[in-house]
Amino acid sequence: MYTTAMMNPIQLLPLAGNVGPAVRALGWEWAVEEACENYVAQEAVLLPEAEADALLSAADTLYDMLVRAIPDAVPDDLLQLLAIPPGLWAAVRHSWHDDRHWHLYGRFDLASTPEGPKLIEFNADTATSLPETAVVQWASLIAAQQGEEDRQANGLFEGLEAQLSHWLGLNEDLDSSLLLVYLPDSAEDEANCGVVAEAARAAGFSRVYLCPVDAMQVSVVGEERGVWAEAAPGEWVRFGFVFKLVPWEILAEEEPALTADLSQLLLSRDVIVANPAYTLLFQSKGLLAWLWQVYPQHPLLLEASLQDLPGRHVRKPLLGREGQNVVELDGSRLLHEQPGDFTHQPQVRQRWVELPRDAQNRRYQAGVFWAGEACAISFRREAGIITNLSEFVPHLLS
């Protein structure tokens, strides 16, 4: 039973010690970019075990709700409502109807309230914070000599390994080589891919290679049909599996020809991609309004609509990223607006929810990773709206 403990201020425990040597001692320094250490707090949220259980249980329930909410036919009007790019409709439907297209992981952003956890949104396609959650927050406890295994809700790496192993087993007809691609010049995305790559090696993939997405070559003709990368100078390798930390909608918008070719290869089973195209259904914030229609007044949901809401609420782009263009409103009165590049997109409105705060009045948002099941908890904090630049805070079960 969820308690009203979060009505009280967030309790924090200072974490002494340098996390850098602890990360290196764990053998993970290659997967953690230097900037990562700089925005990880040197203190931990003291999280009651009952509260952790409530967050994990909420994520599992929400994932089941998401799956049940999608009509099996995935109709055109739903795809339009969710602002899914038309060039991806075939891939979305194909992956939805073929269980070999396996959703590896995602992250639920949740608000802890006196009434229990509430869904803010689900980062289903390209969720980041993998190194911070799987490695750095655990290393923070070790550095502070608090590293008993049962002191943190953190089975993210093990969850990723299990999901990758299952994905591999579902697709035994494909070559067991995995290409991981990320946006160019993004050390953060490369580090996130590094965690997935290590889990893939442990899961049994025969070859694992990382590169920027612009180094990936896609062909749909002749003997060169497939997805390729130059794994060593002059050595071009065709990969059976691709993990992309590049949002599907960005691929569709910026590389429509490549996206069309990749979709064709998916349909012909020359390659399989994770996270699958259908995760865009969950990624779109339009699904928040759809869920409120399917499950009205559900205790895990906040009221959401594609129309204006009275009272205090937020407005955000359906396929926005990193907290950009989130607007806080009271009726029609503007309270706060985040800058960004997504003002052209349709917007969803969602009822405002107060996040728990600490003694310094900083707000805390829980990130619950799902990898086949809810498996890890992390926190971000900020004086204002939570974004991808907000401080990452480890937790310690109490």
Side-chain angles (χ1 to χ4, degrees):
M1 184 73 179
Y2 191 85
T3 71
T4 58
M6 291 305 288
M7 294 180 65
N8 298 318
I10 290 280
Q11 300 298 310
L12 297 167
L13 176 73
L15 294 178
N18 187 342
V19 70
V23 169
R24 286 190 287 275
L26 289 169
W28 280 87
E29 69 276 10
W30 54 268
V32 181
E33 55 158 336
E34 183 178 351
C36 177
E37 293 180 32
N38 298 330
Y39 66 83
V40 175
Q42 289 191 300
E43 53 190 353
V45 172
L46 287 173
L47 182 66
E49 286 195 30
E51 217 165 278
D53 290 343
L55 289 167
L56 294 167
S57 177
D60 282 331
T61 300
L62 284 164
Y63 195 87
D64 289 342
M65 290 168 62
L66 288 167
V67 173
R68 293 198 307 270
I70 303 298
D72 194 53
V74 195
D76 289 1
D77 57 354
L78 178 61
L79 294 168
Q80 291 169 342
L81 182 94
L82 301 180
I84 308 299
L88 288 171
W89 286 13
V92 167
R93 287 193 176 107
H94 176 77
S95 61
W96 180 255
H97 291 128
D98 185 342
D99 288 342
R100 293 172 294 186
H101 295 260
W102 198 244
H103 189 187
L104 296 180
Y105 79 97
R107 190 190 71 240
F108 287 94
D109 290 340
L110 302 177
S112 294
T113 78
E115 295 77 36
K118 303 285 186 183
L119 174 64
I120 298 173
E121 58 194 48
F122 183 36
N123 299 279
D125 180 19
T126 56
T128 54
S129 298
L130 296 178
E132 300 95 313
T133 303
V135 183
V136 178
Q137 70 166 343
W138 177 243
S140 297
L141 298 193
I142 291 175
Q145 299 183 338
Q146 298 278 351
E148 296 89 349
E149 287 191 9
D150 59 350
R151 301 300 303 278
Q152 200 170 80
N154 191 358
L156 179 53
F157 184 83
E158 294 80 4
L160 288 171
E161 181 184 341
Q163 286 288 85
L164 285 155
S165 177
H166 188 72
W167 187 39
L168 182 61
L170 289 173
N171 294 277
E172 291 181 334
D173 56 313
L174 298 177
D175 185 85
S176 60
S177 53
L178 173 64
L179 175 66
L180 302 98
V181 296
Y182 50 88
L183 290 170
D185 303 317
S186 174
E188 177 192 358
D189 287 357
E190 184 177 2
N192 278 272
C193 280
V195 175
V196 178
E198 187 67 13
R201 293 183 184 100
F205 281 86
S206 61
R207 184 164 197 163
V208 178
Y209 181 68
L210 292 78
C211 70
V213 67
D214 55 4
M216 176 180 72
Q217 299 294 315
V218 177
S219 175
V220 294
V221 296
E223 294 183 357
E224 295 182 355
R225 185 179 179 89
V227 174
W228 300 77
E230 192 175 13
E235 182 189 357
W236 285 88
V237 176
R238 177 164 35 202
F239 289 86
F241 294 74
V242 173
F243 172 83
K244 46 140 218 74
L245 205 62
V246 181
W248 276 107
E249 75 276 8
I250 289 180
L251 276 178
E253 180 180 349
E254 298 185 1
E255 297 287 349
L258 181 147
T259 305
D261 288 348
L262 197 58
S263 296
Q264 186 184 139
L265 295 175
L266 283 175
L267 270 61
S268 60
R269 280 199 64 75
D270 288 282
V271 72
I272 198 156
V273 178
N275 278 315
Y278 74 73
T279 56
L280 257 185
L281 300 170
F282 302 159
Q283 179 75 36
S284 171
K285 296 171 187 64
L287 198 66
L288 299 170
W290 181 260
L291 287 173
W292 188 253
Q293 290 182 37
V294 176
Y295 308 103
Q297 306 298 325
H298 193 283
L300 291 175
L301 301 178
L302 297 166
E303 180 185 6
S305 174
L306 296 175
Q307 309 302 319
D308 288 340
L309 290 177
R312 196 171 180 188
H313 63 282
V314 295
R315 190 178 68 214
K316 43 193 177 183
L318 297 198
L319 295 172
R321 300 274 171 173
E322 301 175 346
Q324 293 185 44
N325 300 114
V326 173
V327 179
E328 183 186 340
L329 297 154
D330 188 353
S332 59
R333 183 167 65 93
L334 176 66
L335 300 178
H336 180 78
E337 182 173 5
Q338 287 287 112
D341 302 322
F342 301 102
T343 53
H344 63 286
Q345 291 187 3
Q347 313 275 313
V348 69
R349 288 79 169 167
Q350 184 182 47
R351 182 62 58 202
W352 172 265
V353 63
E354 279 292 345
L355 296 173
R357 301 176 185 241
D358 63 17
Q360 297 182 48
N361 216 30
R362 295 170 296 191
R363 295 171 170 146
Y364 286 72
Q365 178 178 286
V368 181
F369 277 90
W370 178 95
E373 62 182 3
C375 60
I377 297 172
S378 61
F379 287 92
R380 293 273 192 175
R381 73 180 177 195
E382 187 68 71
I385 290 175
I386 305 291
T387 72
N388 68 310
L389 299 178
S390 299
E391 192 172 26
F392 183 95
V393 189
H395 73 277
L396 187 68
L397 294 178
S398 63

